């Protein structure tokens, strides 16, 4: 494929002094969308999700921050840290609203969809649910995790919790009402990244050198693809669900066709392993965080089918993939050569 040869130019976000280990995009809010990053430098950062511009740094953790998230309205942030605490922050002022003390390193945190609850997990092997309306009340604990918690997320409108472990394979699902494990998605290696798709249909996991997609309602394995290297993170494109990204030890950010597993693009630029990858809420771009301390925001490439549709339809009927519009809209993105060529092509068609 010739578009593998095109060099994508990302927005590079500096600021962290240590590896970036987690990234999280907010949904689109009336003020746009936001990107929060967790780093071993103990200072999570908030950015404009579209431009990558730095908005602020959350100051207060005394150890590596392993996980970060924003609530549905991007009004609060939550972070999980090696300083044995999880903190909830005002995302507008940067102030700490709550600090929840744990007995060991906290690796994962997640706001419930309704924003009232915070889920945490870590080396203690306990999954806790804090009621943010009653922050002084002791948290609820669901049945013990069989191992040290690595990832955690909510699904089914906050009725189910999923979590994976550092020291064993599989993703376990808890019924929040009963607190019991109701299902296990079996994987060979430890699941280092789990993501519930925006439409709630799929759970995307990365374990060892495979990326798997599970039916989030019936829990069957939908697709499993072998990757070119050990991958630490994977994310499914949220709008059309037709491509996914994966990254890990080879320092490259790979884009694949969801239906065929074919590689669409391979982005080089990071100088260390890729620890985390997430698509923006609209799918027009995605961010990667690396051992090299940088975050890179990349423009999403087109699949061969999308390219064909563009060529066939010309500038008309091009509703599904407004690539030109996207590259102009995302300030600071360089319109790729592909974009310029297409503009010339369209100009020729219009003449």
């Amino acid at each position: 494929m010739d578009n593998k040869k095109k060099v994508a130019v990302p927005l590079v976000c500096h600021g962290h002094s240590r590896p970036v280990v987690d990234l999280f995009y907010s949904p689109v809010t009336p003020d746009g969308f936001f990107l929060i990053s967790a780093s071993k430098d103990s200072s999570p950062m908030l950015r404009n999700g579209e431009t990558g511009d730095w908005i602020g740094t959350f100051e207060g953790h005394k150890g590596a921050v392993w996980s970060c998230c924003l609530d549905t309205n991007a009004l609060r942030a939550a972070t999980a840290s090696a300083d044995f605490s999880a903190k909830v922050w005002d995302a507008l002022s940067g102030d700490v609203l709550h600090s929840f003390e744990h007995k060991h390193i906290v690796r994962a945190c997640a706001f419930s969809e309704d924003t009232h609850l915070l889920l945490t997990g870590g080396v203690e092997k306990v999954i806790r649910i804090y009621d943010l309306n009653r922050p002084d009340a002791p948290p609820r604990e669901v049945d013990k995790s069989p191992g040290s918690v690595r990832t955690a997320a909510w699904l089914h409108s906050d009725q189910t919790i999923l979590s994976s472990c550092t020291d064993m394979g599989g993703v376990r699902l808890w019924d929040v009402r009963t607190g019991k494990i109701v299902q296990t998605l079996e994987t060979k290696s430890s699941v280092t990244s789990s993501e519930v798709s925006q439409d709630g249909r799929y759970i995307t996991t990365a374990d060892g050198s495979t990326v798997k997609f599970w039916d989030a309602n019936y829990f069957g394995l939908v697709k499993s693809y072998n990757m070119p290297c050990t991958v630490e993170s994977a994310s499914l494109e949220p709008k059309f669900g037709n491509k996914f990204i994966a990254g890990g030890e080879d320092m490259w950010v790979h884009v694949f066709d969801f239906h065929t597993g074919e590689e669409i693009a391979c982005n080089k630029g990071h100088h260390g392993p890729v620890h985390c990858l997430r698509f923006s809420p609209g799918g027009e771009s995605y961010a990667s965080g690396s051992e090299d301390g940088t975050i890179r925001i990349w423009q999403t490439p087109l699949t061969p089918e999308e390219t064909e549709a563009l060529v066939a339809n010309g500038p008309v009927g091009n509703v599904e993939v407004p690539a030109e519009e996207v590259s102009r809209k995302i300030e600071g993105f360089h319109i790729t050569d592909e974009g310029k060529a297409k503009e010339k092509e369209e100009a020729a068609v219009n003449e």
Side-chain angles (χ1 to χ4, degrees), residues 94-124:
D95 297 334
V96 177
L97 299 174
H98 314 294
S99 189
F100 299 120
E101 300 309 313
H102 290 61
K103 296 182 184 72
H104 214 306
I105 293 165
V106 193
R107 279 301 295 260
C109 61
F111 281 108
S112 58
E113 201 181 316
D114 70 10
T115 75
H116 299 313
L117 306 172
L118 183 73
L119 173 65
T120 69
V123 180
E124 278 182 87

Side-chain angles (χ1 to χ4, degrees), residues 31-347:
D31 300 315
F33 62 94
F34 301 90
L35 175 64
I36 186 172
S37 54
S39 165
K40 292 186 186 178
D41 67 7
S42 79
S43 303
M45 291 186 183
L46 185 68
R47 295 176 189 275
N48 175 317
E50 206 166 357
T51 63
D53 291 342
W54 177 84
I55 293 170
T57 301
F58 299 102
E59 307 275 3
H61 276 299
K62 294 179 171 58
V65 176
W66 285 109
S67 174
C68 58
C69 57
L70 293 161
D71 71 8
T72 313
N73 315 306
L75 296 176
R76 289 175 301 179
T79 50
S81 171
D83 66 8
F84 295 17
S85 79
K87 293 185 192 295
V88 177
W89 314 76
D90 181 319
L92 302 179
S93 67
D95 297 334
V96 177
L97 299 174
H98 314 294
S99 189
F100 299 120
E101 300 309 313
H102 290 61
K103 296 182 184 72
H104 214 306
I105 293 165
V106 193
R107 279 301 295 260
C109 61
F111 281 108
S112 58
E113 201 181 316
D114 70 10
T115 75
H116 299 313
L117 306 172
L118 183 73
L119 173 65
T120 69
V123 180
E124 278 182 87
K125 306 184 183 180
V126 178
I127 290 175
R128 295 185 173 90
I129 301 170
Y130 291 88
D131 183 342
L132 299 175
N133 297 325
R134 298 169 41 235
D136 298 329
R140 203 180 138 206
E141 296 181 4
V142 299
D143 269 14
K144 220 167 150 59
S145 167
S148 175
V149 175
R150 170 73 185 255
T151 70
W154 299 85
L155 66 164
H156 305 148
S157 307
D158 306 333
Q159 293 171 47
T160 310
I161 285 167
L162 71 79
S163 173
S164 71
C165 298
T166 314
D167 36 13
M168 62 183 68
V171 171
R172 276 145 288 273
L173 294 111
W174 279 261
D175 178 324
V176 173
R177 197 175 52 84
T178 63
K180 299 266 181 278
I181 295 176
V182 287
Q183 189 80 28
T184 301
L185 313 179
E186 299 290 356
T187 66
K188 270 218 269 301
S189 307
S190 164
V191 170
T192 50
S193 163
S194 60
E195 175 190 74
V196 180
S197 64
Q198 203 167 276
D199 61 9
R201 279 178 61 190
Y202 296 111
I203 298 163
T204 304
T205 61
D207 76 289
S209 56
T210 69
V211 173
K212 295 184 173 71
F213 300 93
W214 310 81
D215 184 308
N217 297 300
Y218 300 101
F219 308 122
L221 180 61
V222 180
K223 288 187 182 298
S224 177
Y225 291 121
N226 291 321
M227 295 288 110
C229 70
T230 301
V231 292
E232 203 173 321
S233 189
S235 182
L236 180 62
E237 193 280 327
K239 272 280 178 284
F240 306 112
N242 58 354
K243 56 190 85 137
F244 68 94
I245 47 177
E249 279 182 1
D250 67 3
M251 309 188 215
W252 300 342
V253 180
H254 302 269
V255 187
F256 297 94
D257 185 301
F258 172 77
H259 300 290
T260 65
E262 185 193 351
E263 186 170 283
I264 300 165
C266 174
N267 299 322
K268 303 175 182 182
H270 280 299
H271 301 291
V274 175
H275 293 309
C276 43
L277 287 170
R278 286 295 178 256
F279 267 104
S280 67
E284 67 284 333
S285 61
Y286 55 92
S288 55
S290 162
E291 183 72 17
D292 67 16
T294 67
I295 299 162
R296 286 164 199 259
I297 299 177
W298 312 80
Q299 199 183 337
T300 305
L302 302 178
T303 61
E305 289 73 27
E306 287 169 336
T307 310
E308 277 164 32
L310 266 186
V311 172
N313 300 337
V316 187
N318 171 15
V319 184
E320 193 172 315
V321 199
E324 303 303 329
E325 188 189 310
V326 165
S327 40
R328 282 199 206 91
K329 200 167 78 190
I330 299 184
E331 300 155 1
F333 260 129
H334 303 265
I335 296 182
T336 55
D337 297 342
E338 182 184 348
K340 292 204 183 81
K342 214 177 296 148
E343 273 177 3
K344 285 193 192 115
E345 215 174 86
E346 290 184 11

Side-chain angles (χ1 to χ4, degrees), residues 13-25:
C13 309
H14 297 280
H16 285 297
S17 57
R18 297 284 316 282
V20 177
V21 291
D22 194 26
L23 290 168
F24 183 97
Y25 277 103

